[in-house]
Amino acid sequence: MWESQLPLLVVLLVLGTTAKVITVRSGGEPGALSRLGPAVLVPGRLRVPALLVCAAGELVLATGLLVTDHAIFRWATVAFFAMSTYVLLELRRRRPDAGCGCFGEVSSAPVGLRSIGRTVLLTGMAGVSVLAPVPGWVAVSHPSWLTAAGLALLLGLSPEIDELIERARFRAPCERRRGPSESATLARLRSSGAWRAHRDGLTSPEPYDSWRELCWRFFAFQNQDHDDVVFAVYLSGRRPAVRMAVVGSEGSESLTEYTPVSA
C-alpha cells in the first residue's frame, strides 16, 4: 500500500528531467526560458544552469527512489515537491504570465490551481512513500489499483494534457498558432471572474483597443476614474487564464491586480 505511489513519482521525475534537458538542448521558442519556472526567477545568464540543476536533482531522486528504500531519498522527494509548491505560488504572485516549466516548454501555460494542486498531491504521495518497506523497482513491477487512482488524479491536474492536445491538432506552439478570433477571445473574457468583478466600473462594455502578444490577447477599456483597465486572455487551453491590470491615467503610478482562472 505505502509503495503504491512510487512508480508515479519515479516516472514523473524522469519525465521532468527529460523534458527540461530537451528544452535546453533545443533552445525552445524565442524567449521561452524567460517564461518558464524556475528559470524565470533567476537572472538571464543563470536560466539554463537553473533548469539543468533542477533536472539533475530530479534524476538523482528518481534513481534513489527506484533502486533503494533509503529514507534520505524519500524525504528529499517530499522536500522537492513541497519546495516546488512554494515556487509555483511565487510564480503566480510575481510572474503570473510564466509557466511552471515542470515538463519543459510544454508547461508554458500560466500557473493555475491545477498545477499547484498537482504539486500538493505529489508532496502527499511522496510523504506516503516514506513508509514504503521496499525499493521503487518492486513497486514498479507490481502496480496496484491505488497507482491507477493516483495516475487518474495527476492527469486531471495536468494542464500539459491540454497543451499536448492543442499541439497535436495544430502542430505548432501557441505563439505560432492563429488562435481564436478576437470576438471569441472577448467572449472568453466576458465569461471570466475578472470581467464580472470589474465590468460595472467600466465606461463602455466594448474595448477601445485590442492587440496580441505571443500567447496573449489584450483588451483595453477605461473606468470611471479615466484609468486604463487592461485585460489579458491566454489563447490556449479549454479554461484560459485571464489577467487584469489597472494603469493610472497619469502613468506615474500603476496598480496591478491579477485575477487568474484555473488553467
Side-chain angles (χ1 to χ4, degrees):
M1 173 182 176
W2 303 114
E3 66 272 15
S4 62
Q5 303 308 313
L6 280 174
L8 298 177
L9 295 173
V10 171
V11 170
L12 285 178
L13 288 168
V14 171
L15 287 177
T17 297
T18 304
K20 290 179 179 67
V21 171
I22 290 174
T23 297
V24 170
R25 287 179 60 86
S26 66
E29 296 301 313
L33 293 184
S34 65
R35 303 191 302 274
L36 297 177
V40 72
L41 298 177
V42 298
R45 69 181 184 278
L46 297 179
R47 283 170 181 161
V48 168
L51 276 181
L52 292 178
V53 167
C54 185
E58 289 176 311
L59 183 59
V60 169
L61 291 176
T63 303
L65 292 178
L66 187 65
V67 303
T68 180
D69 61 353
H70 201 291
I72 189 171
F73 292 104
R74 307 284 173 84
W75 284 113
T77 304
V78 175
F80 174 79
F81 286 118
M83 179 61 70
S84 297
T85 303
Y86 170 77
V87 169
L88 292 189
L89 290 170
E90 280 296 293
L91 278 175
R92 193 181 182 199
R93 180 179 68 86
R94 294 169 53 183
R95 283 291 305 273
D97 61 311
C100 73
C102 307
F103 299 99
E105 195 177 350
V106 75
S107 300
S108 59
V111 173
L113 297 180
R114 290 168 71 189
S115 298
I116 295 172
R118 180 176 60 194
T119 58
V120 171
L121 177 62
L122 287 168
T123 303
M125 288 179 171
V128 169
S129 74
V130 170
L131 301 175
V134 297
W137 67 266
V138 175
V140 170
S141 60
H142 297 87
S144 69
W145 68 269
L146 288 173
T147 307
L151 176 61
L153 286 173
L154 289 173
L155 290 176
L157 291 172
S158 296
E160 292 83 3
I161 301 299
D162 298 340
E163 179 65 19
L164 288 173
I165 293 173
E166 290 290 317
R167 292 193 180 195
R169 290 176 59 194
F170 297 103
R171 303 295 183 184
C174 176
E175 295 90 329
R176 295 183 179 178
R177 295 178 207 148
R178 185 173 181 177
S181 65
E182 182 174 331
S183 59
T185 309
L186 188 58
R188 288 182 174 184
L189 168 63
R190 287 172 174 160
S191 67
S192 70
W195 174 260
R196 291 191 295 271
H198 299 281
R199 63 185 173 187
D200 293 338
L202 303 178
T203 58
S204 170
E206 299 298 325
Y208 71 81
D209 195 9
S210 172
W211 67 96
R212 175 175 174 170
E213 294 182 15
L214 299 175
C215 288
W216 296 86
R217 180 167 289 280
F218 295 83
F219 297 96
F221 301 80
Q222 276 200 330
N223 63 16
Q224 305 294 340
D225 297 324
H226 304 290
D227 295 326
D228 291 320
V229 180
V230 181
F231 294 90
V233 183
Y234 196 67
L235 297 177
S236 181
R238 291 178 291 115
R239 291 176 291 178
V242 176
R243 313 297 191 199
M244 190 281 292
V246 178
V247 183
S249 57
E250 297 181 356
S252 57
E253 294 183 3
S254 65
L255 172 65
T256 303
E257 176 185 342
Y258 299 99
T259 308
V261 173
S262 178

